[in-house]
Amino acid sequence: MANLIAVDVAILPPADVSAQAIACNLELPAGGFRGLRLDADHLPHLTLTQQFIREDRLDRALAAIDRAVAGQPPIRVVVTGGARGDHSVWLAIERTLPLVSLHEQLMEALIDLEERNGTLAAFIDEARDKDVAWVSGFRDNSSFDRFLPHITLGHAAEPPVIEPFVFEATAVAACHLGRFCTCQRVLKSWTLIDTTAG
């Protein structure tokens, strides 16, 4: 069996939004980090898909993403504020039709290349069993009707206070995942372009 790679296809926000996410991460209580840092090597991102891909099929997966994002214009992303789950805090993002549609297109594009039997070895660095379980269960637990768009900031008891804002998403990337399912190594990136403009 070929080696597997834990892959996240994500929107990478513009530089100012990434800087805001990194600043929020640094302001979280020190005890709450549990090792989840955002920086130039651990990219703030809005996950669209996650899956294990066989290394010998990675080129096929990237070509499938090519086709899924072809002709996709920039997406208006609405950040509604800070939010939290059981342990993580994030920038909450409105489930708009263009965002959900791109998520669904990518899920469909990669379904035949997705593997469910990933291990810790599929990640870039010292991952956790929870990371393996999260990627393995993404299709069942976090996609389609359960898709919850967000940008993870870290771990804390309370979410940071974030004033709502809007940004234009123009960058999508396939990233090799690391510990805490952080986007680390960019495998390939795409620019969303409005082909109807001027």
Side-chain angles (χ1 to χ4, degrees):
M1 180 70 173
N3 293 334
L4 300 183
I5 298 177
V7 175
D8 191 313
V9 184
I11 286 173
L12 300 184
D16 59 333
V17 179
S18 289
Q20 181 176 351
I22 290 169
C24 285
N25 173 263
L26 290 173
E27 291 171 1
L28 295 177
F33 277 118
R34 293 167 49 193
L36 200 170
R37 295 283 185 174
L38 297 178
D39 54 33
D41 297 316
H42 303 81
L43 304 173
H45 62 279
L46 191 172
T47 293
L48 296 167
T49 75
Q50 282 183 351
Q51 55 275 123
F52 293 108
I53 302 288
R54 281 176 45 171
E55 195 168 12
D56 61 355
R57 293 180 176 174
L58 183 59
D59 286 344
R60 286 174 58 189
L62 296 177
I65 299 167
D66 280 339
R67 294 188 292 273
V69 301
Q72 171 67 54
I75 295 176
R76 183 176 183 267
V77 176
V78 180
V79 177
T80 58
R84 73 178 296 273
D86 291 340
H87 304 290
S88 300
V89 295
W90 57 75
L91 298 179
I93 291 171
E94 185 178 324
R95 270 180 57 102
T96 61
L97 180 59
L99 194 55
V100 171
S101 294
L102 181 57
H103 156 73
E104 292 179 349
Q105 288 169 35
L106 288 164
M107 292 298 297
E108 293 295 346
L110 294 170
I111 189 170
D112 292 333
L113 297 167
E114 184 176 321
E115 302 286 339
R116 295 293 189 110
N117 57 340
T119 67
L120 296 172
F123 293 79
I124 260 187
D125 55 13
E126 188 179 340
R128 310 165 303 152
D129 290 337
K130 287 183 178 180
D131 301 325
V132 175
W134 186 267
V135 177
S136 297
F138 186 85
R139 182 170 292 275
D140 295 333
N141 303 323
S142 302
S143 65
F144 296 97
D145 290 345
R146 297 184 178 186
F147 176 56
L148 179 68
H150 64 280
I151 298 174
T152 299
L153 300 174
H155 298 109
E158 297 296 333
V161 176
I162 304 288
E163 290 297 321
F165 66 95
V166 176
F167 69 88
E168 184 177 76
T170 60
V172 171
C175 300
H176 192 171
L177 289 172
R179 186 174 176 84
F180 296 111
C181 292
T182 53
C183 280
Q184 294 193 17
R185 182 167 61 99
V186 174
L187 303 168
K188 186 172 181 178
S189 62
W190 297 263
T191 301
L192 306 183
I193 298 173
D194 185 357
T195 57
T196 65

